[in-house]
Every structure is written in structure tokens, then in C-alpha cells.
Amino acid sequence: MRTARRLWWLLAGLALAGAGALGLVSLNQRADDIRAGNTTVGAQVLGQRDSSFGRHFKVIGVEYSYLGQIHRTDLLDIGWALPPEAGDRITLAIDPDRPSEAAGPGLVSGAAWRYWYQPVGFLGIMVVLVTMGFWIRSRWTTPDEETAEGVLAGRMLVHPEAAWADRADGTILTLVLVAGEQPWEEELAARHLNAQSSEICAVPFLQTRLALGDVVRVNRRGYAGAVTRPSGLVTFAVRCSEPADVHALAGEFAGTTVEEIGTALLAVAAPAETAGRIHERLRTWEEQGRVEYRSSLRIDLDTPLI
């Protein structure tokens, strides 16, 4: 969806820039048509004044004589050089059938409204540049800030019973990228604190760098980013055939919380002062073939337990 919106913005910017370019081309064509009459006159520049589009769009007033009659007309600046100043003498081409229509180097007669091509064209260019900037930025975001389109083909892990479900008022997402596999998303119950941050109300399973009670920055797409206020808990993701063993282990250490995610999958949050002992026990059980586990305390394995 976001890619489609950016594509539409890009097309809109290109359309505006193209319209502005056509407006400039039409004025240059008008100047060429006037020059085709091969009639030139010497003209006196009367001065410059701001057009209805503002002070950056000048209208140059000129006066000249043709066949004994004095003509005054306004010229639009469509060139790149500085426009002539009051009192300057310039040579203009005029249309013999309509002597009030004239053209000079980078100048052509016309109503001030025909300056529309400049703001429209500039707006189109800005829309294109800003859209491309967002597009390029999205290619370089961190995993926690990946666009939702990047995980539509992936998989979602949902916590059926969050540890602090009673205090949660919404959810946030985490994104897990595994080399050679489809990405995973994990949906975590959370308590909204402000527009940029939320408190995690579930024990993470895939993102063991996060913990129950952490306050995290949340981007506009609902993805968790950096931890701004850690809870002091350590997360363990455990797969085992006997969940009761993990519940019994947690019961030995005060302040430890266990969530059952699904069949044989448990997420454990332990206070930092007892997490080391739980880590040692789980490592022993893993060596015995009783469990598999992941944690931020492990340095040998950092891939999620999926």
C-alpha cells in the first residue's frame, strides 16, 4: 500500500513538472511565432513590477514605436539571463498584424497569469524529489523500521495471553529478519504512553533484546525501535516438551514471569539479578537435550528460536 501511494505521488509530481515544462514550451513557441514575422523595433524599458504570482515573477513594461504609433506592452521573463532594467534600450521582434505582441531575448508578451508554469513546475519537481527521498530512505532503514510491505509475505507470532494484558491498551510490532528465510513479525501487547513510545506488556519471544515492561520508541507504522527506558528484566525464549519444568524453574525465582505462546513455546521474563542462574539452568537442560533456548545472555547463538 505504501509503495502504491509513493508511486502515485511520483506520478503526480512528474505530471506537474511536465505541465510546467509544457507551459514554458508554449511561451517559447509564442516567441518563435512572433519572430517569424521578421519585424524588429527598438524599445525603451519602462520598468519592472511584481506579477500576481509575487515579487519573484517580474513583468517588464516596454514602449516602442511602429508605423507612427506608440505601443506599450508587458513582457514576461522566460529566459535565464537577468531581465533588462528601467531605461535600457532593447531590440524586440513584433507581429506586424498585432504590433502589441512582441518578443525579445528571453522575453515574450503575455498576461501575468501565464507565469503559472513556474510554480506548477517547481512544485512538481519538489514532489518528485521528496518522494524519491522517502523511497531511498526506506531502503536504508533499520530492521525495526522496515516497511510493512516487507513482511506481508512473512509470518506473524501472536501472544494469546499477554502477561500484563490488563494494563495494555493496544499492540506494537517487532520485525525479525533471518537470512534465507521469510521475515517474522511478533505482535506484542503494549500500553500507549505518547505518540512515539509504548510500554511492552507481553514477554517477547522472537526479540529477546526486548523485555516485559521496557518502554520503547515506536515509529508511525507501529514497529518497536530503541529501548528508551529498560525494565531491568531479561528475556528467555524456550522450546521444550515439558512446560511444567519451566514453570517450576520460574517459581524458584521471585519476580519471574512465564507466558505460554503456543505448543512447547514459552517466553520468560526474569529480574536481572536472578537471570544468570536461570541462564545456567537452561544451558544445562539444553546440553541434556531437554530444551532449546535463546536469550540476550547467550553469546553463542543470536538467531531467534523459530
Side-chain angles (χ1 to χ4, degrees), residues 256-275:
T256 301
T257 301
V258 179
E259 274 189 40
E260 292 196 19
I261 310 293
T263 305
L265 300 179
L266 300 100
V268 180
E273 57 269 19
T274 59

Side-chain angles (χ1 to χ4, degrees), residues 31-134:
D32 290 340
D33 292 341
I34 293 173
R35 295 189 189 100
N38 295 317
T39 303
T40 59
V41 296
Q44 179 81 23
V45 177
L46 302 177
Q48 301 179 5
R49 70 176 190 276
D50 296 341
S51 73
S52 56
F53 284 93
R55 62 187 179 86
H56 298 293
F57 306 98
K58 299 295 185 181
V59 175
I60 297 94
V62 296
E63 181 181 85
Y64 51 89
S65 174
Y66 179 67
L67 298 180
Q69 292 186 347
I70 301 297
H71 297 273
R72 291 184 177 180
T73 191
D74 290 330
L75 302 177
L76 307 180
D77 179 15
I78 59 172
W80 297 102
L82 291 175
E85 301 287 344
D88 289 348
R89 295 286 300 180
I90 59 175
T91 299
L92 297 176
I94 64 170
D95 185 339
D97 299 325
R98 290 171 293 182
S100 60
E101 295 189 7
L107 302 169
V108 66
S109 59
W113 65 264
R114 298 198 66 165
Y115 266 133
W116 67 266
Y117 76 89
Q118 289 195 30
V120 169
F122 288 147
L123 176 61
I125 292 172
M126 289 303 299
V127 169
V128 170
L129 292 177
V130 170
T131 302
M132 292 301 297
F134 277 113

Side-chain angles (χ1 to χ4, degrees), residues 214-263:
D214 281 352
V215 175
V216 295
R217 188 173 65 244
V218 180
N219 68 18
R220 65 182 183 277
R221 297 183 291 272
Y223 286 86
V227 176
T228 58
R229 192 177 71 208
S231 64
L233 299 177
V234 177
T235 299
F236 297 89
V238 183
R239 178 189 288 132
C240 68
S241 57
E242 297 293 337
D245 291 345
V246 178
H247 284 284
L249 175 62
E252 298 179 21
F253 302 98
T256 301
T257 301
V258 179
E259 274 189 40
E260 292 196 19
I261 310 293
T263 305

